[in-house]
């Protein structure tokens, strides 16, 4: 009897356990929904308002994009409002959301304002609350589908962040035309500088198998205004241009198209060369049948023209080529005594009939041209200004070195008035703790965007250069090196999603503040709980400055491990100190820092006057760039009245203590945020704390060998 009772009891227990496990699996948040979770509106007043305002929806048109708009609204409003909102037949104008181009409004007898339409261009939109024949209506209007799509995501964001709808009067247009992600994804599925798993693109399955992630990826990009993607690594494998791969890329392009995402490819400059050359031990082997890729050789030019036409046959809206040439071992025109302009123009000529563009990277640092690496791109490219064809961008990284935690702006941006400059930012955290450290990058990007380059005197911010305001460029662009991979949460660290989000938002409108973007991301990711908002916001906003402090304070740079670029370079245990770290920080018994002043490497001369003079003197040089431009004595007093050595110690301690604080205040959210997310972030923060302390201790002990002063353990 008791055995039977026991076994019944066991069955009940097992059933309960199973149910509990299933429930917890179902509720475990793996972060895959990104910022598009559409969780129910928690504020009842708002919920009532939204439900009253949106009793029906009309989405005009039947294009693939219009269908995705419908899907998004159905899915989004269902989640947010907890009820199904019906789609109405065209004609309805009250208590409805109407998403339509001008044609619809004209037909409904409410012709839209012509000036407004003109100002919207091809991607802008307006979201308005209006009274039509006495009845309240919400409408999203744009000249085309892409504007409607962006407007739809903006509208849903308003609901996700619980904004009032009553007086809506939003007009939004992108300030930059080409807003691209650059994927450094290789054809073998690995991702260079990728920290979130393998590539999203399953090359071996394409074109027959379509991962649902392709659509999800395009949807996420569109939700923040990104309109193009370079799908393969700039260290490009020539095979990307074989018919086999072009078919695969065409399938991706098809999946992305409804979301307004155009596909671009990185190409290898040696592509026209026969693979035979590779077999002979020549790394220049490509996929063609030629023995050269000299850009002035007629056979090479014909090869590219034929290849481009083949690509457009498969992908009619193909965007163009991104090129890393004569850089870090990649082949380029200089091997044939030609210039970057010769190389870029050859490709541009082939792409031009189809409306394609070339993004020619300026990331070059040929050791011969100057002992100071940061000067080399400027030296190679400035003499070429004005020599590029109309559809060529020169794409430059934000700083003159390489995506360091902090750099001054690349001076090339101010020196190419006749060449459209495209800005390359890095979303993946190559030098900022990979996907382990919580570092919100928007404040850093804002610092660059607001940096006054003095290109045309004061008021020439980097943002106003790349958006074409200062130099009146014929085209404008910005790229972000993606941080995505095949891990469920896309970016490895949940908080790294905020950087993808912020990149898109700033690419659309660089005047938005890092604070507002963070607040939106938090609300859309975690919900609108004020405690979460405040806590997470405070963690994010200081996280970049903290990272600079515990890695490379006061203008230090490239002192990280060689190649891996994660921890500090000096290895105190083995005593082995990488040459590069010595090269960049120049520590000696007298002081620290790279002298780039007019009496040093004279890198300051590459900046326009006023900036040049400011950077040239250690007295006026902003302290954040001090050791970038100057070699400073250990006892020299800084603005804090502390000596350089004391200030260095203070910064390293301030940085690590910020991470300790992030960890502590995150713990206060234990019962408030989703348990799986809580654990995920807690673990990352724990590692970040250890890493930050290792950075501090290693760097200070290393520099102490030169300074011979005691480490002072205090922060601000
Ligand atoms: C794609 C740095 C990175 C490389 C990267 C290169 C580039 O050197 O470490 O991984 O290569 O920049 O931007 O081309």
């Amino acid at each position: 009897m008791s055995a039977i009772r026991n076994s019944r009891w066991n069955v009940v227990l097992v059933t309960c356990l199973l149910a509990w496990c299933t429930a917890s699996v179902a509720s475990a948040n793996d972060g895959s929904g990104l910022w598009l979770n559409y969780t129910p509106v928690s504020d009842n007043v708002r919920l009532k308002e939204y439900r009253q305002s949106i009793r029906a929806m009309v989405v005009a048109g039947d294009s693939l994009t219009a269908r995705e708009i419908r899907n998004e609204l159905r899915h989004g409003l269902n989640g947010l409002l907890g009820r199904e909102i019906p789609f109405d037949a065209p004609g309805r104008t009250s208590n409805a959301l109407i998403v339509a181009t001008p044609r619809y409004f004209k037909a409904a007898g409410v012709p839209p304002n012509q000036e407004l339409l003109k100002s919207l261009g091809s991607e802008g939109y307006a979201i308005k609350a209006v009274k039509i024949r006495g009845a309240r209506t919400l409408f999203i209007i744009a000249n085309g589908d892409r504007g409607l799509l962006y407007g739809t995501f903006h509208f849903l964001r308003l609901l996700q962040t619980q904004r009032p709808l009553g007086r809506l009067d939003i007009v939004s247009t992108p300030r930059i035309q080409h807003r691209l992600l650059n994927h450094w994804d290789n054809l073998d599925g690995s991702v260079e500088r990728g920290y979130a798993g393998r590539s999203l693109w399953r090359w071996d399955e394409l074109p027959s198998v379509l991962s649902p992630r392709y659509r999800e990826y395009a949807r996420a990009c569109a939700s923040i205004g990104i309109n193009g993607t370079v799908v393969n690594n700039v260290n490009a494998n020539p095979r990307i241009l074989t018919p086999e791969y072009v078919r695969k890329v065409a399938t991706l392009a098809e999946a992305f198209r409804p979301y307004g995402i155009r596909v671009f490819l990185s190409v290898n400059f040696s592509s026209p060369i026969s693979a035979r050359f590779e077999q002979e031990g020549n790394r220049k082997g490509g996929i063609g049948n030629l023995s050269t890729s000299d850009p002035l050789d007629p056979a090479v030019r014909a090869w590219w023209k034929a290849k481009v036409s083949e690509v457009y046959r498969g992908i009619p809206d193909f965007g163009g080529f991104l090129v890393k040439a004569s850089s870090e071992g990649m082949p380029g025109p200089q091997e044939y005594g030609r210039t970057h302009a010769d190389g870029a123009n050859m490709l541009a000529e082939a792409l031009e009939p189809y409306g394609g563009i070339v993004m020619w990277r300026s990331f070059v640092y040929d050791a011969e041209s100057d002992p100071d690496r940061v000067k080399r791109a400027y030296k190679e490219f400035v003499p070429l200004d004005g020599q590029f064809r109309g559809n060529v961008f020169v794409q430059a990284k934000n700083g003159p070195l390489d995506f360091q935690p902090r750099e001054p702006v690349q001076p090339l941006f101010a020196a190419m008035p006749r060449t459209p400059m495209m800005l390359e930012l890095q979303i993946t955290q190559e030098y900022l703790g990979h996907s382990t450290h919580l570092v919100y990058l928007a404040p850093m990007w804002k610092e660059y965007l607001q940096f006054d380059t003095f290109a045309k005197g004061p008021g020439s911010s980097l943002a106003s250069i790349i958006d074409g305001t200062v130099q009146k460029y014929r085209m404008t662009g910005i790229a972000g090196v993606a941080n995505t991979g095949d891990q469920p949460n896309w970016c490895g660290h949940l908080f790294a999603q905020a950087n993808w989000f912020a990149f898109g938002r700033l690419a659309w409108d660089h005047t938005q503040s890092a604070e507002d973007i963070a607040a939106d991301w938090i609300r859309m990711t975690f919900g609108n709980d004020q405690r979460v908002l405040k806590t997470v916001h405070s963690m994010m906003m200081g996280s970049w400055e903290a990272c600079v402090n515990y890695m490379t304070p006061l203008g230090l740079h490239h002192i990280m491990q060689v190649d891996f670029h994660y921890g500090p370079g000096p290895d105190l245990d083995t005593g082995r100190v990488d040459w590069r770290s010595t090269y960049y920080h120049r520590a000696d018994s007298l002081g620290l820092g790279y002298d780039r002043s007019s009496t040093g490497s004279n890198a300051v001369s590459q900046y326009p006057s006023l900036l040049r003079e400011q950077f040239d003197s250690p007295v006026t040089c902003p302290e954040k760039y001090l050791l970038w431009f100057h070699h400073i004595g250990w006892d020299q007093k800084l603005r804090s009245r502390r000596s350089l050595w004391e200030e260095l110690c203070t910064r390293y301690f301030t940085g690590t203590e910020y991470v300790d604080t992030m960890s502590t205040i995150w713990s206060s959210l234990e019962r408030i945020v989703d348990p799986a997310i809580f654990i995920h972030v807690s673990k990352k923060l724990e590692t970040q704390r250890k890493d930050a302390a290792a950075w501090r201790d290693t760097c200070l002990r290393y520099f102490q060998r030169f300074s011979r002063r005691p480490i002072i353990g205090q922060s601000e």
Side-chain angles (χ1 to χ4, degrees), residues 184 192-193 234-235 324 328 361 363 397 402 430:
W184 288 356
E192 183 155 348
R193 311 302 176 190
V234 286
N235 290 326
K324 172 174 178 177
E328 293 192 328
R361 295 176 90 227
F363 182 65
K397 296 185 182 184
D402 189 10
E430 175 180 352

Side-chain angles (χ1 to χ4, degrees), residues 597-617:
S597 72
S598 47
T599 51
S601 83
N602 202 17
V604 290
S605 67
Q606 296 184 338
Y607 291 91
S609 188
L610 288 185
L611 212 48
R612 184 190 313 148
E613 291 79 28
Q614 191 197 17
F615 290 162
D616 198 26
S617 157

Side-chain angles (χ1 to χ4, degrees), residues 145-437:
D145 281 348
R146 276 190 299 154
L148 294 180
L149 180 69
Y150 298 136
T152 299
F153 278 114
H154 189 152
F155 180 77
L156 287 166
R157 185 162 78 231
L158 295 172
L159 271 58
Q160 285 177 283
T161 53
Q162 304 192 166
R163 302 295 204 286
L165 300 182
R167 289 163 199 248
L168 274 187
D169 188 8
I170 294 169
V171 176
S172 185
T173 53
R175 287 173 191 269
I176 294 175
Q177 191 189 349
H178 294 281
R179 306 175 299 278
L180 268 54
L181 285 187
N182 285 185
H183 290 269
W184 288 356
D185 293 22
N186 297 313
L187 303 190
D188 65 2
S190 62
V191 181
E192 183 155 348
R193 311 302 176 190
Y195 313 105
R198 310 245 327 142
S199 172
L200 287 170
W201 330 129
R202 301 191 184 158
W203 295 112
D204 46 345
E205 293 178 355
L206 283 163
S208 36
V209 183
L210 212 58
S211 152
R213 278 222 145 173
Y214 303 152
R215 178 184 167 271
E216 286 307 304
Y217 163 83
R219 173 177 167 250
C221 285
S223 76
I224 48 177
I226 288 168
N227 64 1
T229 180
V230 184
V231 293
N232 62 319
N233 192 353
V234 286
N235 290 326
N237 185 328
R239 282 175 60 218
I240 195 72
L241 287 179
T242 55
E244 181 197 356
Y245 272 89
V246 171
R247 268 195 301 279
K248 294 172 194 275
V249 176
T251 309
L252 289 178
E254 205 176 311
F256 301 162
R257 194 165 290 123
Y259 284 99
I261 311 288
R262 277 173 95 184
V263 163
F264 298 71
L265 290 177
S266 294
V267 293
N268 184 304
F269 201 74
S270 285
S271 300
I273 297 182
S274 160
R276 193 161 46 86
F277 286 81
E278 197 167 33
Q279 282 154 18
E280 287 164 8
N282 185 332
R283 67 177 170 75
K284 282 188 285 190
I287 53 163
N289 53 4
L290 305 179
S291 58
T292 174
S293 61
D294 179 350
L296 299 192
D297 186 310
V300 173
R301 301 173 81 84
W303 188 91
W304 280 107
K305 281 190 178 157
K307 184 50 77 182
V308 165
S309 123
E310 196 182 305
V311 172
Y312 275 93
R313 268 200 302 280
I315 313 166
D317 57 353
F318 179 67
F321 294 147
L322 172 63
V323 193
K324 172 174 178 177
S326 304
S327 159
E328 293 192 328
M330 292 298 285
Q334 289 173 332
E335 287 163 32
Y336 306 95
R338 315 298 185 196
T339 67
H340 290 289
D342 294 329
N345 289 344
M346 170 193 60
L347 298 176
E349 193 187 14
L351 288 159
E352 206 253 357
Y354 309 91
I357 59 165
V358 173
M359 295 158 289
W360 191 271
R361 295 176 90 227
S362 67
F363 182 65
V364 294
Y365 53 98
D366 163 27
E368 303 300 306
S369 70
D370 197 293
D372 185 358
R373 174 174 159 179
V374 306
K375 289 164 66 186
R376 297 181 198 147
Y378 183 100
K379 286 183 133 181
E380 277 189 40
F381 278 85
V382 173
L384 301 176
D385 186 32
Q387 294 182 26
F388 293 95
R389 290 179 76 99
N391 54 337
V392 178
F393 276 112
V394 167
Q395 178 169 315
K397 296 185 182 184
N398 45 258
L401 186 53
D402 189 10
F403 296 136
Q404 295 302 289
R406 176 179 262 139
E407 299 184 34
V409 155
Q410 161 65 269
L412 193 57
F413 283 106
M416 301 285 281
R418 293 186 292 157
T419 310
M421 293 294 297
M422 186 156 175
L423 171 63
E424 181 177 312
L425 299 172
Q426 194 180 42
I427 312 172
T428 190
Q429 293 167 233
E430 175 180 352
Y431 292 99
L432 291 106
H434 297 186
S435 61
T436 303
H437 293 200

